[in-house]
Amino acid sequence: MRAVDIIIKKRDRQELTCEEIEFFINGYTVGEIPDYQAAAWAMAVLLNGMVPRETTDLTLAMVNSGERLDLSGVVPIVVDKHSTGGVGDKTSLVVEPVVAACGLAVGKMSGRGLGFSGGTLDKMESIPGYRVDLSTDEFLKQLKSIGLVLTGQTADLAPADGKFYALRDVTGTIDSIPLIASSVMSKKIAGGADAILLDVKVGSGAFMRTLGQARQLAELMVSIAELTGRRALALLSDMNQPLGRAVGNALEVVEAIKTLRGTGPEDLKEHCLTVAAHMLVLGEVAGSVEQGRDLAKAAIAQGTAWERFKSLVTAQGGDLSYIEEPQKLPRAKIIEVVPSPRTGYLAEIDARWVGETAVLLGAGRAKKGDAIDHSVGIEIFAKVGDWVETGQPLFTVHAKTRGEMEQARQRLLDAHRWSDQAVEALPLFYGVIDQGSR
Ligand code: URA
């Protein structure tokens, strides 16, 4: 078999066999197939798609590119959560300590930023000393001792996904249903999850722009879980505007801390309570979503979720003083509040435009391996449906240079659209895809 023939076959819209997919994935993982051929293949898949059978074969080939974690001796039931990526999506930072505080142990392997969407690892690395490279042994020990881990994918788990993820970030090959489904599900299967909560984002700031695409991705991932003997449930959640108010690594850590301490923005709090409630049901800690919500709310109100977050940071080498006094976290040189240029109802805040602006400010990467700036980003003050008056603060830009600040200001003003008529607030969720509901 030759890699070039497999690229040509997909370019010509033909179905790949399981053997061809395995050959390509294994060859790329061990370095026999170079980045340029893998990028061409990923682009052919993005343009021409895959049938569900090919996507399942791709997922399993990525799982088999490395080891599988067996957590059965460590925790009674392994529930994992994964977001398909959004703007201002700091959900994991809040939800994982909340569910751990409710008695459900979670060991999560997260990713870095992808395209315009932020990544949990980049956010957590804003905390000086915080390690995201735990070994499998360290992962297991920490899961047992404090019931909470938030680290990067270890090199031996689904390494094919690790390589493709970084390559797709910089080759315009992210927004593909088969590539996203196999990337997400391979990590979760290799990570030993018994049950998976999928937060499938939809809207301008998501890789799935329409509800139809998001539903298709959610159904595909839920069916891959089923085929491999796992439980999965997907929430279709709004990403037409940033989630919460902060976009940018350290800024999002600050917002997650506020939410864990009960003073975060309402939309982020509500989103996190729903995700946590479903995880608690999947983990058999709660008998219903309502009961799960009550438990999650109590964990925030009683401070146990915040205590868990502190134990997590300490266990992974982070300097606790930075989260106890978040003003010590990295701060940009230039911080400027931009007032609203007009009066009216806010009709749209283009989340993708906001995410791309954060990347331009330095919060994300343009090339594989680029360093990022944890201090830069954006805080928005108004959400869709809000009434805003001329001169009222609209957003704050945190920038490294005056030029980047000016560019961001203009782009962000362009991302806001107005109406003289009342505009309805956006919903947080559009639906649930469960194994029985397809
Ligand atoms: N999240 C992932 O883990 N992979 C993708 O491809 C997109 C979002």
Side-chain angles (χ1 to χ4, degrees):
M1 260 188 238
R2 293 189 319 156
V4 63
D5 296 326
I6 298 173
I7 299 168
I8 290 170
K9 199 168 170 190
K10 192 37 79 185
R11 182 201 68 190
D12 292 345
R13 299 198 168 81
Q14 294 174 46
E15 255 183 58
L16 301 179
T17 64
C18 180
E19 292 69 33
E20 286 164 337
I21 291 172
E22 280 173 358
F23 172 84
F24 203 92
I25 296 305
N26 292 339
Y28 183 50
T29 309
V30 298
E32 279 163 10
I33 294 178
D35 268 359
Y36 56 85
Q37 282 188 310
W41 179 82
M43 185 58 84
V45 172
L46 179 136
L47 295 174
N48 296 330
M50 279 184 153
V51 297
R53 194 268 313 151
E54 288 176 287
T55 308
T56 307
D57 288 342
L58 175 58
T59 307
L60 292 177
M62 306 230 281
V63 172
N64 294 333
S65 68
E67 290 173 7
R68 286 188 194 213
L69 208 54
D70 179 5
L71 301 174
S72 55
V74 186
V75 286
I77 176 162
V78 184
V79 181
D80 207 343
K81 167 232 164 230
H82 200 87
S83 155
T84 56
V87 178
D89 183 12
K90 64 285 288 176
T91 309
S92 290
L93 276 61
V94 179
V95 161
E96 308 292 326
V98 166
V99 298
C102 295
L104 179 65
V106 275
K108 177 154 167 54
M109 297 200 190
S110 290
R112 297 201 175 275
L114 196 59
F116 56 82
S117 81
T120 299
L121 301 185
D122 294 330
K123 293 170 201 181
M124 291 304 284
E125 279 182 342
S126 311
I127 305 167
Y130 189 87
R131 283 182 55 211
V132 297
D133 61 350
L134 299 194
S135 65
T136 304
D137 202 37
E138 289 172 314
F139 181 96
L140 295 174
K141 277 198 185 124
Q142 188 174 317
L143 187 59
K144 205 165 192 164
S145 61
I146 65 162
L148 181 58
V149 190
L150 206 48
T151 182
Q153 205 168 329
T154 55
D156 38 6
L157 282 192
D161 174 57
K163 282 190 85 170
F164 266 111
Y165 193 89
L167 182 80
R168 287 169 53 222
D169 186 22
V170 290
T171 54
T173 50
I174 302 168
D175 340 28
S176 145
I177 291 180
L179 294 181
I180 297 177
S182 54
S183 162
V184 170
M185 295 310 289
S186 62
K187 286 193 269 273
K188 303 294 110 176
I189 296 170
D194 300 308
I196 307 151
L197 189 283
L198 298 160
D199 187 4
V200 179
K201 305 284 187 198
V202 53
S204 64
F207 298 121
M208 299 296 105
R209 304 265 194 136
T210 66
L211 202 48
Q213 290 171 329
R215 203 176 282 281
Q216 206 186 327
L217 172 63
E219 287 178 353
L220 184 57
M221 292 195 290
V222 168
S223 79
I224 293 172
E226 204 166 9
L227 280 170
T228 57
R230 280 154 184 87
R231 175 95 175 82
L233 180 134
L235 299 174
L236 302 174
S237 63
D238 181 72
M239 194 30 78
N240 283 299
Q241 63 184 343
L243 182 61
R245 302 196 176 273
V247 181
N249 299 293
L251 293 170
E252 293 193 42
V253 171
V254 174
E255 189 166 274
I257 292 172
K258 284 187 184 153
T259 307
L260 282 166
R261 306 192 79 174
T263 60
E266 202 49 31
D267 64 330
L268 177 64
K269 182 187 95 187
E270 278 304 309
H271 177 84
C272 291
L273 287 176
T274 302
V275 172
H278 281 282
M279 284 181 77
L280 291 169
V281 173
L282 286 174
E284 298 169 8
V285 169
S288 66
V289 177
E290 294 67 38
Q291 194 194 358
R293 262 184 93 77
D294 290 344
L295 289 172
K297 258 187 180 168
I300 293 177
Q302 291 161 7
T304 51
W306 168 235
E307 287 306 321
R308 278 302 167 119
F309 186 72
K310 290 202 286 184
S311 325
L312 168 75
V313 170
T314 308
Q316 289 186 218
D319 184 334
L320 206 54
S321 72
Y322 283 77
I323 59 163
E324 283 175 330
E325 300 156 63
Q327 66 279 10
K328 283 176 68 176
L329 285 165
R331 258 176 91 76
K333 276 209 193 84
I334 303 172
I335 302 177
E336 241 171 71
V337 179
V338 178
S340 173
R342 57 163 288 184
T343 294
Y345 292 97
L346 197 53
E348 190 185 338
I349 313 169
D350 187 326
R352 180 170 300 230
W353 205 238
V354 175
E356 285 171 354
T357 305
V359 173
L360 288 175
L361 283 167
R365 298 174 180 80
K367 302 196 296 309
K368 244 171 114 173
D370 272 358
I372 57 163
D373 185 335
H374 293 100
S375 71
V376 297
I378 300 142
E379 286 169 280
I380 56 166
F381 298 125
K383 305 286 289 212
V384 169
D386 286 354
W387 171 256
V388 182
E389 306 212 341
T390 307
Q392 190 177 319
L394 191 59
F395 54 85
T396 299
V397 179
H398 298 243
K400 216 172 22 230
T401 66
R402 174 68 32 207
E404 284 168 355
M405 159 76 214
E406 291 309 330
Q407 183 193 29
R409 175 213 298 272
Q410 197 46 57
R411 286 179 62 94
L412 292 168
L413 283 171
D414 292 345
H416 287 74
R417 286 186 245 304
W418 308 86
S419 168
D420 293 327
Q421 266 78 54
V423 174
E424 265 189 50
L426 289 168
L428 286 175
F429 294 97
Y430 296 102
V432 178
I433 309 282
D434 201 348
Q435 266 156 353
S437 71
R438 289 167 301 123

